[in-house]
């Protein structure tokens, strides 16, 4: 069967990766509509050797569409996904708009693919830093039961979009040229205060909540429980932006309910779907953002038993935030729907 597809946010950093994956994986497409906000409408985007003109997304744009992939920001999804659902479209939403809605499955195929079947029109794609963490931890949770996760992230600027990449490169050049950096974009474009990202680490991703955690940290906390289907898992997160372009890195401290054996953990991770174990001290082999960039997998290494809690494991998890963290996870969901149809 061939599908009528729409990609909303086709010109953005994630939208571009979605199109590349649909092309490379030869997704069964009957027709492809590229949609965006009014700002990007009229731009031309290449797909399979053809130029497609990007149209402004409106409710009627979804007439005749089977599957729509949204990555144009939460407000666009909130405004348009209901109109698409009304027209019978299955929406795969890469924004925060519906993730915690009890009627919307929040899916990482390696963890809870069966939840896709419960959708009522919208399937939510989780936040990038959550996806790579749960993909690595699910097989260990199944075996030992996770009691508590303490995660610190080292997140790439591409998570904040193409303009944050441009800003980081511009600032880096300014520092090397001994010019003023003039921060203009991070940590949060819509807030008045900005910080330098070049040669820096900013412990703020997204806006602060009343409880002192940032929105990015709260996404990791809430989404992990929902995807794992286990509210009892304790999660503490500190999310930090660093001047890496592609690939989020995460340091995890994971306390299990049961005793664990490190050799068995290795073997579980070696056999886990979508996970690649890179863990050899003697060869200084461990996951690196520079090596994960452009790849679809989640890379795991630096495995070691904690020194004060023998039920706790320390590990390092890296993945391309625009791919498994966004576009690839969404395309995996679309492929599952296509196969089931
Ligand atoms: C970042 N995790 O790195 C964010 C980007 O909820 O899908 C993804 C935001 C989201 O800035």
């Amino acid at each position: 069967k061939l599908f009528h597809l729409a990609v909303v946010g086709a010109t953005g950093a994630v939208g571009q990766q979605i199109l590349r994956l649909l092309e490379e994986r030869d997704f069964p497409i009957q027709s492809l509509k590229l949609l965006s906000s009014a700002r990007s409408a009229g731009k031309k985007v290449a797909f399979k050797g053809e130029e497609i003109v990007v149209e402004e997304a409106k409710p009627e744009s979804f007439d005749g569409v089977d599957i729509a992939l949204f990555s144009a920001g939460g407000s666009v999804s909130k405004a348009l996904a209901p109109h698409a659902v009304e027209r019978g479209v299955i929406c795969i939403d890469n924004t925060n708009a519906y993730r915690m809605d009890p009627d919307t499955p929040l899916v990482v195929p390696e963890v809870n693919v069966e939840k896709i079947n419960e959708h009522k029109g919208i399937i939510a794609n989780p936040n990038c830093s959550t996806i790579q963490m749960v993909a690595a931890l699910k097989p260990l949770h199944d075996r030992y039961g996770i009691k508590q996760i303490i995660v610190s992230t080292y997140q790439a600027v591409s998570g904040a979009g193409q303009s944050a990449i441009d800003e980081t490169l511009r600032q880096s050049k300014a520092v090397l040229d001994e010019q003023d950096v003039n921060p203009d974009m991070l940590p949060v474009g819509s807030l008045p205060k900005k910080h330098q990202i070049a040669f820096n680490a900013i412990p703020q991703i997204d806006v602060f909540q009343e409880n002192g955690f940032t929105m990015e940290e709260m996404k990791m906390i809430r989404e992990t429980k929902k995807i794992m289907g286990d509210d009892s898992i304790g999660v503490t997160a500190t999310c930090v932006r660093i001047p890496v372009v592609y690939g989020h890195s995460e340091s995890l401290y994971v306390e299990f309910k049961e005793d664990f054996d490190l050799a068995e953990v290795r073997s579980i991770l070696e056999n886990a779907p979508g996970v690649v174990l890179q863990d050899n001290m003697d060869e200084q082999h461990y996951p690196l953002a520079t090596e994960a960039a452009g790849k679809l997998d989640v890379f795991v290494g630096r495995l070691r038993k904690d020194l004060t809690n023998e039920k706790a494991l320390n590990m390092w998890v890296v993945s391309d935030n625009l791919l498994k963290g966004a576009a690839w996870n969404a395309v995996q969901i679309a492929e599952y729907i296509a196969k089931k149809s």
Side-chain angles (χ1 to χ4, degrees):
K1 188 179 166 193
L2 298 177
F3 296 85
H4 297 281
L5 233 63
V7 174
V8 188
T11 57
V14 174
Q16 288 288 297
Q17 295 303 322
I18 288 176
L19 292 175
R20 192 173 65 80
L21 287 167
L22 292 173
E23 189 170 321
E24 273 176 21
R25 298 183 59 83
D26 215 7
F27 192 90
I29 296 177
Q30 175 84 52
S31 69
L32 177 63
K33 229 178 227 186
L34 301 187
L35 303 171
S36 73
S37 59
R39 196 164 37 95
S40 301
K43 283 190 187 167
K44 285 183 187 153
V45 171
F47 186 80
K48 290 200 170 177
E50 270 180 51
E51 292 229 302
I52 303 179
V53 180
V54 179
E55 297 165 43
E56 183 182 348
K58 297 187 176 145
E60 316 80 78
S61 314
F62 296 95
D63 286 335
V65 169
D66 300 310
I67 302 173
L69 295 115
F70 282 77
S71 62
S75 53
V76 173
S77 295
K78 271 254 180 281
L80 289 174
H83 292 288
V85 172
E86 248 172 44
R87 290 166 166 80
V89 181
I90 301 178
C91 300
I92 302 169
D93 184 30
N94 197 36
T95 77
N96 195 36
Y98 296 97
R99 287 179 187 150
M100 296 314 296
D101 169 15
D103 283 340
T104 303
L106 183 63
V107 174
V108 176
E110 291 81 356
V111 178
N112 61 346
V113 75
E114 68 290 342
K115 289 279 170 194
I116 294 174
N117 304 320
E118 295 173 17
H119 78 81
K120 296 190 169 69
I122 302 175
I123 299 142
N125 212 41
N127 180 33
C128 41
S129 45
T130 315
I131 292 179
Q132 65 183 67
M133 181 168 85
V134 297
L137 291 183
K138 171 69 160 94
L140 301 177
H141 182 52
D142 288 344
R143 174 69 182 84
Y144 308 113
I146 293 175
K147 189 169 161 199
Q148 161 102 47
I149 303 166
I150 301 175
V151 52
S152 300
T153 70
Y154 305 67
Q155 293 184 224
V157 290
S158 53
Q162 185 59 45
S163 50
I165 301 177
D166 297 342
E167 164 88 350
T168 306
L169 300 178
R170 180 192 65 72
Q171 284 188 17
S172 303
K173 184 159 188 316
V175 172
L176 295 175
D177 292 345
E178 297 180 18
Q179 302 292 313
D180 284 344
V181 169
N182 296 324
D184 185 39
M185 160 91 208
L186 292 169
V188 181
S190 58
L191 294 180
K193 181 146 185 185
K194 304 295 192 293
H195 295 301
Q196 174 176 331
I197 181 63
F199 304 93
N200 206 2
I202 305 177
Q204 181 186 358
I205 298 182
D206 213 328
V207 293
F208 281 103
Q209 310 293 292
E210 289 275 299
N211 62 12
F213 284 79
T214 62
M215 187 61 183
E216 180 79 358
E217 290 159 356
M218 290 313 297
K219 285 179 188 173
M220 292 194 81
I221 292 165
R222 294 194 186 111
E223 293 177 15
T224 297
K225 294 170 196 270
K226 178 165 174 179
I227 302 162
M228 297 284 228
D230 187 343
D231 270 344
S232 77
I233 300 176
V235 185
T236 296
T238 303
C239 293
V240 180
R241 187 78 72 195
I242 58 163
V244 156
V245 178
Y246 301 110
H248 288 352
S249 302
E250 299 178 348
S251 161
L252 306 186
Y253 169 96
V254 188
E255 184 183 350
F256 297 112
K257 292 181 185 152
E258 313 253 325
D259 287 327
F260 71 93
D261 171 59
L262 205 50
E264 190 185 52
V265 165
R266 261 181 235 286
S267 136
I268 291 171
L269 291 171
E270 257 164 1
N271 293 303
V275 174
V276 174
L277 183 65
Q278 297 181 323
D279 193 38
N280 186 332
M281 285 190 285
D282 297 335
E283 292 180 14
Q284 295 169 267
H285 189 43
Y286 33 70
L288 292 170
T290 46
E291 290 176 9
K295 310 225 169 74
L296 302 183
D297 296 302
V298 174
F299 299 89
V300 179
R302 294 295 323 275
L303 300 179
R304 61 215 189 273
K305 211 174 246 264
D306 197 68
L307 296 178
T308 48
N309 182 350
E310 62 174 28
K311 287 194 177 161
L313 173 74
N314 293 288
M315 63 201 282
W316 182 245
V317 179
V318 180
S319 193
D320 188 322
N321 51 302
L322 296 185
L323 293 177
K324 183 57 188 164
W328 170 229
N329 200 73
V331 170
Q332 277 181 302
I333 294 170
E335 286 186 353
Y336 177 89
I337 293 165
K339 262 194 214 112
K340 281 261 165 178
S341 301

